Amino acid sequence: MIKTPYYLIDKSKLLRNMEKIAYVREHSGAKALLALKCFATWSVFDLMSQYMDGTTSSSLNEVKLGKLKFGGETHAYSVAYADDEIAEVLAHSDKIIFNSVGQLERFADASASHVRGLRLNPGVSSSEFLIADPSRPFSRLGEWDADNVATVIDRISGFMIHNNCENSDFALFDQMLGEIEDKFGSLLEHPQISWVSLGGGIHFTGDDYPLDQFCDRLKAFSERYGVQVFLEPGEASITMSTSLEVTVLDTLYNGKQLAIVDSSIEAHMLDLLIYRESAKMAPNEGELEYMVCGKSCLAGDIFGEFRFERELKVGDRLSFIDAAGYTMVKKNWFNGVKMPAIAVRELDGSVTLVKEFTFDDFVSSLS
C-alpha cells in the first residue's frame, strides 16, 4: 500500500471526461485546450493529449510545461507579461493573448510575427464568489470597452472571453453568450477576427449536461462569426477523477466527534479554505458523524463533517473524492506537513506511484 497522504488519479474516470470532450469537439467543431491553472499533473498527459488539442496557460512556466509535456496547440495568456519573459513566452506558444490594450501595444514589436489575441471582459459572469468573479467591479481581467478594442483590432486575430465559473447551467451559459454577442458583436464580426476562445468554467462533462444543445450553440456561434471556437476546460477535464487518500491519526471529543488525518486543507486542498467549502467524501453515510480535521496548527483546518457506519479508529483510511482541480497546482509546505505523493490508477487497474516528495524537496523550497 502507498503511504498516505497521496492523490490518486484514476485514468478510467478521467477517460469519461475525455470522451465527453471528444464528443463536443466532433459535434461542435470547437477545439479543447487544457487549462493548466486548474490541473497540470503531466503524468497523465499521455491520455489527455489523445482527446484534447493542447493547453492554455496563465504564466511563463505553464506555457513551457504545456509545450514540452502536452504538445499540440499552446495558447499563452497572462494578466501581465514582464519584459524579461516575453521572448520565452513567444518561443513556447502558438498564440499569445494579451490582457489589455496596453500590454498589446507594449509588446507589439516583439510579437509582430506571432498570432495575437486580446482578452475581452463582457461584464457578466456565473461566479457566486466575488474573489473568483472575472467581471467583479473594477476588474483588471480584460478589456470591456469595444470602441477602445476597435482601435487595435488590426493587430490581433482573435479574442479570449473567460466569464464562466463552475457553471453547470446551460441556459445561463446560453444567456451570457447572447449578452457577449450583443456587447461585442461588431468586434466578433470584424473580418480580421478568425478565432474566439470562450474560456473555461463550463461544466459540460457533468452528469445530465445537455451536450447536444451545447454543441449546437457553439456551432451556431462559430458559423455566425466565421471563427474557430476554443474551449479551455480545467475542472471539466478532471472532475470526479481523483481522490486524496488519508489516514486517521487521532480521534477526540469536544462537543463533537473529531478525527484528525495526516493531511491539511491549507496545504493540500487550499480552495476549500479560500471558498469556505467542505471536501467531498465517499462513502458518506451512516449513523455516526465526525468532523474530519487536518493536522496543521491552523484552527480552521477542517475538511468537513461526514457520516460513518462505524466508529473511526487510528489507522483507518479515508478518501476525499473530486480532489484534482486546483489542488495539486496549489499544494504547499505550510507547517512542513508532508506533501501528498501522486499515484495513477492505470486503465488496467494497476496503480503506479509517480511522485513522492521528501525532506530535501521541503528544504529546497526554502532558502
Side-chain angles (χ1 to χ4, degrees):
M1 294 180 66
I2 300 172
K3 183 175 174 56
T4 60
Y6 65 93
Y7 302 102
L8 177 61
I9 306 170
D10 190 326
K11 278 190 174 180
S12 66
K13 296 178 180 178
L14 185 61
L15 181 59
R16 298 173 194 169
N17 298 325
M18 295 296 101
E19 289 173 339
K20 289 185 178 181
I21 289 173
Y23 183 91
V24 170
R25 291 168 66 210
E26 179 182 356
H27 291 85
S28 71
K31 292 185 177 182
L33 307 173
L34 173 63
L36 294 173
K37 66 180 180 180
C38 173
F39 182 80
T41 305
W42 50 268
S43 299
V44 291
F45 283 1
D46 60 332
L47 174 64
M48 301 179 80
S49 61
Q50 297 176 49
Y51 295 86
M52 304 184 73
D53 297 283
T55 57
T56 186
S57 57
S58 301
S59 66
L60 170 58
N61 283 338
E62 286 185 353
V63 172
K64 293 169 69 174
L65 180 71
K67 185 72 170 182
L68 299 174
K69 294 293 187 179
F70 198 99
E73 191 160 345
T74 306
H75 285 203
Y77 166 77
S78 176
V79 173
Y81 296 108
D83 290 343
D84 63 354
E85 64 184 6
I86 192 68
E88 273 197 283
V89 170
L90 293 168
H92 288 86
S93 63
D94 300 296
K95 291 182 174 68
I96 185 167
I97 300 165
F98 293 102
N99 184 67
S100 68
V101 169
Q103 281 262 300
L104 171 63
E105 292 180 331
R106 179 177 178 181
F107 298 113
D109 291 341
S111 64
S113 61
H114 217 67
V115 178
R116 299 182 293 201
L118 188 66
R119 179 169 183 170
L120 300 179
N121 191 325
V124 293
S125 85
S126 64
S127 177
E128 297 179 358
F129 301 97
L130 182 63
I131 191 174
D133 186 353
S135 297
R136 61 185 287 161
F138 317 112
S139 175
R140 74 198 195 285
L141 301 176
E143 293 284 354
W144 58 271
D145 186 341
D147 291 337
N148 189 38
V149 174
T151 64
V152 295
I153 203 164
D154 61 323
R155 297 184 178 183
I156 61 176
S157 61
F159 296 114
M160 188 267 274
I161 308 166
H162 174 49
N163 67 319
N164 285 278
C165 182
E166 296 186 353
N167 185 7
S168 59
D169 184 345
F170 170 73
L172 178 58
F173 166 79
D174 181 35
Q175 172 191 320
M176 292 195 302
L177 187 55
E179 294 181 49
I180 289 169
E181 292 176 296
D182 290 341
K183 181 167 187 175
F184 295 125
S186 62
L187 299 176
L188 298 172
E189 292 170 346
H190 196 283
Q192 181 80 6
I193 301 305
S194 60
W195 57 273
V196 174
S197 172
L198 297 178
I202 311 165
H203 274 227
F204 63 90
T205 57
D207 293 339
D208 302 320
Y209 193 89
L211 281 183
D212 289 327
Q213 287 180 262
F214 183 56
C215 291
D216 289 344
R217 184 67 173 94
L218 295 176
K219 189 173 183 179
F221 179 89
S222 174
E223 292 176 348
R224 176 178 180 181
Y225 299 104
V227 295
Q228 172 64 59
V229 171
F230 289 89
L231 301 173
E232 301 179 4
E235 188 75 41
S237 300
I238 44 79
T239 184
M240 299 304 292
S241 69
T242 301
S243 60
L244 174 59
E245 304 294 317
V246 302
T247 298
V248 176
L249 299 179
D250 193 14
T251 62
L252 60 155
Y253 181 80
N254 190 8
K256 288 184 177 182
Q257 294 290 350
L258 309 179
I260 299 172
V261 299
D262 59 352
S263 183
S264 162
I265 63 167
E266 182 159 21
H268 306 152
M269 296 190 78
L270 186 58
D271 260 20
L272 298 181
L273 187 63
I274 294 173
Y275 296 104
R276 299 184 180 183
E277 294 183 330
S278 293
K280 303 172 186 176
M281 181 178 287
N284 182 21
E285 53 188 26
E287 296 182 358
L288 299 177
E289 186 172 81
Y290 281 79
M291 179 182 289
V292 179
C293 309
K295 66 174 293 182
S296 81
C297 66
L298 178 69
D301 194 351
I302 299 168
F303 285 91
E305 298 186 22
F306 308 96
R307 307 194 69 84
F308 301 88
E309 293 183 347
R310 62 175 180 81
E311 179 182 348
L312 290 182
K313 298 183 182 300
V314 172
D316 284 347
R317 297 279 289 264
L318 305 179
S319 180
F320 296 111
I321 62 171
D322 201 14
Y326 297 100
T327 54
M328 284 172 267
V329 294
K330 290 189 176 185
K331 64 186 183 301
N332 60 72
W333 287 106
F334 178 65
N335 267 196
V337 175
K338 181 183 178 183
M339 191 80 75
I342 300 173
V344 175
R345 178 173 286 123
E346 305 291 347
L347 294 176
D348 64 5
S350 63
V351 175
T352 304
L353 178 62
V354 297
K355 180 68 176 180
E356 282 189 291
F357 298 90
T358 67
F359 173 69
D360 289 340
D361 294 314
F362 171 59
V363 172
S364 65
S365 72
L366 304 169
S367 60

